[in-house]
Structures are given as structure tokens and as C-alpha cells.
Amino acid sequence: MDIRADINWIHQEIDKVNDPNFIEKIKRLLETINTSKEATAAEYNADIDAALKSINDGAYYTQDEAKNLSKKWGRK
């Protein structure tokens, strides 16, 4: 496995993304990957509140939409 090639591919794919919700999730993933800190109860509850707000604001995918979107990731 060529890690550099994988990183380059990831960069290319991320450059194509125009969904701010997806970018925010990737950002959170990258921020948490390099920390060993466990979330506090307050942070956990804040994440849940933010997720519920997103859902109430209509920022979500149906199961069918999510399946169709995931089919596009890395499968050409």
C-alpha cells in the first residue's frame, strides 16, 4: 500500500466535495484522530444538541440518499 498515493487520492476527492456538512464531519474526524482526550459529558451533550439542531434544520440525508451518496465515494 502506497500511503502517499492514498493521501493524494483523498486530497483529490475532498477537493470535489461541495457539501459543508460533509466537510464539517471530516474536519471533526481529523481533529479527533490526533487527540487522546476523551470527550467530557458537556462536549458530548453539545455534540448531541448540534446534531439535533442539524436534523431540525433539515440538514440530513434519508437512508436512500445516504446509500446513493456512499456509492459515489471511491467507486468509479
Side-chain angles (χ1 to χ4, degrees):
M1 174 182 281
D2 182 1
I3 190 81
R4 189 80 242 153
D6 287 343
I7 290 170
N8 288 336
W9 178 82
I10 291 168
H11 282 208
Q12 291 171 356
E13 293 303 308
I14 288 176
D15 286 341
K16 296 175 190 175
V17 175
N18 291 317
D19 181 350
N21 292 319
F22 180 76
I23 296 297
E24 183 62 29
K25 288 175 177 73
I26 293 294
K27 182 179 171 184
R28 284 186 183 183
L29 173 68
L30 293 172
E31 288 172 345
T32 59
I33 247 173
N34 293 320
T35 63
S36 60
K37 177 184 103 166
E38 291 186 27
T40 65
E43 291 169 327
Y44 180 76
N45 289 334
D47 283 345
I48 291 173
D49 290 341
L52 291 172
K53 182 180 181 325
S54 291
I55 291 168
N56 289 332
D57 291 346
Y60 59 86
Y61 295 107
T62 65
Q63 184 174 358
D64 289 336
E65 290 171 329
K67 283 181 184 178
N68 289 332
L69 183 61
S70 69
K71 287 177 184 176
K72 296 177 186 177
W73 297 337
R75 295 185 183 166
K76 297 184 175 152

